[in-house]
Amino acid sequence: MSQPLEGIKIIDFTHVQAGPACTQLLAWFGADVIKVERPGAGDVTRNQLRHVEGADALYFTMLNSNKRSLTLDTKTKQGKEVLEKLIKESDVMVENFGPGALDRMGFSWEKIQELNPGMVLASVKGFSDGHHYEDLKVYENVAQCAGGAASTTGFWDGPPTVSAAALGDSNTGMHLAIGILTALRHKDKTGRGQKVAVSMQDAVINLCRVKLRDQQRLDAIGYLEEYPQYPHGEFTDVVPRGGNAGGGGQPGWVLKCKGWETDPNAYIYFTIQGHAWAPICKALGKEEWIDDPAYNTARARQDKIMDIFGTIEAWLADKTKFEAVDILRKFDIPCSPVLSMKEISVDKSLRESGTITEVQHPKLGSYLTVGSPIKFSDLQVDIKASPLLGEHTNEVLAGLGYNQQQIAELHDAKAV
Ligand code: CAO
């Protein structure tokens, strides 16, 4: 079956995580993604955190599946010529170099448009163009700090904390993928390409939208009723770190279950949905709370919410996280066990849905990766191994019209 993005050719000038996550997604859906890498070195993640000698690291293989690899030294004259040919024949070029690197390489947006007016040039940078930090190089945690995630994550008595989720990297890549598909749709209508840019700071801020909501409420009334600081603690003039409090209108907390003393993940997340108060009381065997005016409205519960969570923890003490969720699901209570990565890696449902999938790699052997989190009724996403460094160099060059001798000359000149 033909894949929806088949026929779209993408020059993948990306490295590390933010850019590769974007192009990998487009490759899954059928785009021909040609990863351009420096000869002899390649994407730095091929070597980072290796655990099998001589094989690409999981950091690389898990972010570059379904792509082809072309080695090309774009700082040589011959390398630049190859890139020019590639630009003329491609639909999209994606890059996440440090600020100014593409211009220094001789491929400014103006030059790219000259070569191919239909080209979509998609870029990830740490900060957006014109930002007072636009010259900075940025990695994941830097973006989380610049985007409001770190200042609002963690506990009030601890330092700003970064999330393990790649809010700066993969999240920015996903935003960029949406931008690319939008620009391609625009090109279908007008024939014109355009430049699409997502900064890591902006992508993090987009996910911290509710914290900007909270800042404005705090400015207006001086407190935030859903934070653990209310009503007994103190607020300053900035959104505080709220620990594990629910971010919306439903109070929630991470609660200990049986075995928490030795198992760091023997917890569930429990949500007190306002309209589910009666079922919650029934599940806990606290029927007397159902109509008690000291408990039966969200407002009445606010000043004793931590005591209520304490009562729920007492109820959880003899139940594992899985047993607890199996009981609570019958009462329609939004909750989940806190799953470790080990539990996720062997989860039957995640394997069946393809969210966790096993891939065979010629050097690394078999490994797990995260498949498409987007499910389609009419598209099967097959995850294939990432390419070896330069695996498709000759094939791509032949596709650009180079004959055997010219390809050999490019190798001799160390341009590929
Ligand atoms: N042939 C020749 N040169 C190449 C090349 C190729 N195929 N591919 C890359 N290069 C060159 C670039 O042209 C650049 O050269 P100059 O700096 O001399 O002009 C050089 O390699 C280094 O590029 P870089 O600045 O991107 O790399 P870095 O390791 O110093 O920085 C990073 C890495 C990620 C901090 C930086 O790329 C960055 O800030 N990117 C934007 C934000 C981003 O995406 N960060 C997320 C990364 S995921 O955590």
Side-chain angles (χ1 to χ4, degrees):
M1 192 182 64
S2 107
Q3 301 289 81
L5 299 188
E6 227 171 81
I8 293 174
K9 197 165 180 174
I10 299 182
I11 304 171
D12 181 16
F13 237 151
T14 70
H15 62 163
V16 202
Q17 183 173 169
C22 165
T23 48
Q24 172 172 260
L25 189 88
L26 302 173
W28 288 343
F29 303 155
D32 178 13
V33 175
I34 301 168
K35 177 135 183 143
V36 180
E37 300 179 83
R38 227 188 310 220
D43 188 327
V44 68
T45 60
R46 284 188 184 269
N47 285 301
Q48 276 179 352
L49 313 175
R50 267 191 187 184
H51 73 289
V52 173
E53 200 50 49
D56 288 327
L58 282 170
Y59 197 4
F60 179 85
T61 63
M62 292 177 73
L63 284 155
N64 291 284
S65 56
N66 298 43
K67 302 180 183 180
R68 297 197 284 164
S69 168
L70 162 73
T71 47
L72 191 64
D73 186 340
T74 55
K75 287 190 173 161
T76 62
K77 185 170 163 290
Q78 299 94 323
K80 284 188 202 299
E81 283 164 11
V82 174
L83 185 57
E84 286 192 8
K85 275 184 196 276
L86 207 50
I87 289 173
K88 285 181 187 159
E89 295 206 355
S90 299
D91 304 285
V92 183
M93 178 155 137
V94 190
E95 63 92 20
N96 68 320
F97 293 129
L102 205 55
D103 289 350
R104 290 195 294 278
M105 205 185 270
F107 291 91
S108 63
W109 172 225
E110 292 69 30
K111 168 82 177 175
I112 291 168
Q113 277 175 300
E114 234 172 69
L115 293 167
N116 180 354
M119 176 65 88
V120 171
L121 172 63
S123 299
V124 167
K125 295 286 167 270
F127 294 90
S128 56
D129 279 353
H131 190 284
H132 56 275
Y133 284 149
E134 70 174 352
D135 55 317
L136 281 177
K137 289 186 175 181
V138 168
Y139 283 106
E140 173 67 57
N141 292 347
V142 177
Q144 289 201 28
C145 289
S151 68
T152 53
T153 302
F155 282 79
W156 44 91
D157 53 355
T161 303
V162 295
S163 165
L167 307 177
D169 281 339
S170 280
N171 169 46
T172 307
M174 299 304 103
H175 278 77
L176 192 68
I178 296 167
I180 291 169
L181 295 173
T182 305
L184 284 171
R185 186 82 182 102
H186 179 257
K187 182 182 160 187
D188 286 344
K189 291 182 175 171
T190 65
R192 291 196 312 276
Q194 63 181 304
K195 195 167 180 242
V196 183
V198 183
S199 84
M200 295 168 75
Q201 181 191 36
D202 290 356
V204 175
I205 291 175
N206 191 29
L207 296 198
C208 287
R209 180 174 295 265
V210 297
K211 297 297 174 182
L212 184 58
R213 172 201 69 186
D214 295 347
Q215 185 61 53
Q216 295 174 83
R217 292 166 57 226
L218 186 65
D219 290 343
I221 59 173
Y223 64 90
L224 298 165
E225 71 225 39
E226 74 282 24
Y227 281 63
Q229 289 81 350
Y230 181 84
H232 307 298
E234 298 265 303
F235 285 92
T236 66
D237 62 350
V238 298
V239 174
R241 292 186 270 288
N244 288 313
Q250 336 291 342
W253 203 251
V254 166
L255 302 178
K256 291 170 187 155
C257 295
K258 186 176 160 187
W260 67 272
E261 298 89 341
T262 51
D263 175 353
N265 297 305
Y267 291 81
I268 61 167
Y269 198 88
F270 191 103
T271 312
I272 301 184
Q273 226 185 352
H275 63 265
W277 181 241
I280 289 170
C281 296
K282 285 182 190 151
L284 302 176
K286 297 288 284 182
E287 273 90 346
E288 67 274 22
W289 278 356
I290 296 178
D291 296 316
D292 183 342
Y295 287 92
N296 68 356
T297 64
R299 185 151 293 252
R301 290 190 290 271
Q302 261 166 14
D303 65 345
K304 41 186 149 335
I305 200 78
M306 284 300 168
D307 295 335
I308 295 172
F309 287 134
T311 303
I312 304 172
E313 271 190 344
W315 178 81
L316 290 166
D318 62 351
K319 298 167 189 71
T320 67
K321 60 185 177 184
F322 297 111
E323 288 165 352
V325 168
D326 277 342
I327 296 170
L328 297 171
R329 70 200 298 187
K330 296 194 183 99
F331 292 86
D332 232 6
I333 295 167
C335 62
S336 170
V338 171
L339 296 177
S340 68
M341 286 317 295
K342 190 164 184 73
E343 286 161 341
I344 285 171
S345 71
V346 296
D347 185 292
K348 197 165 159 280
S349 297
L350 292 174
R351 292 294 185 98
E352 281 168 6
S353 69
T355 297
I356 301 294
T357 188
E358 201 165 330
V359 179
Q360 286 298 327
H361 184 275
K363 297 248 169 100
L364 195 55
S366 155
Y367 66 92
L368 292 182
T369 194
V370 183
S372 174
I374 307 169
K375 314 295 183 197
F376 300 88
S377 64
D378 208 6
L379 166 62
Q380 167 79 30
V381 179
D382 293 323
I383 311 296
K384 302 188 192 98
S386 58
L388 300 175
L389 180 60
E391 185 178 339
H392 305 96
T393 299
N394 292 355
E395 178 184 301
V396 173
L397 292 173
L400 289 172
Y402 288 91
N403 62 32
Q404 294 291 344
Q405 192 192 329
Q406 290 167 321
I407 292 174
E409 283 165 9
L410 285 169
H411 280 282
D412 289 344
K414 300 203 180 327
V416 296

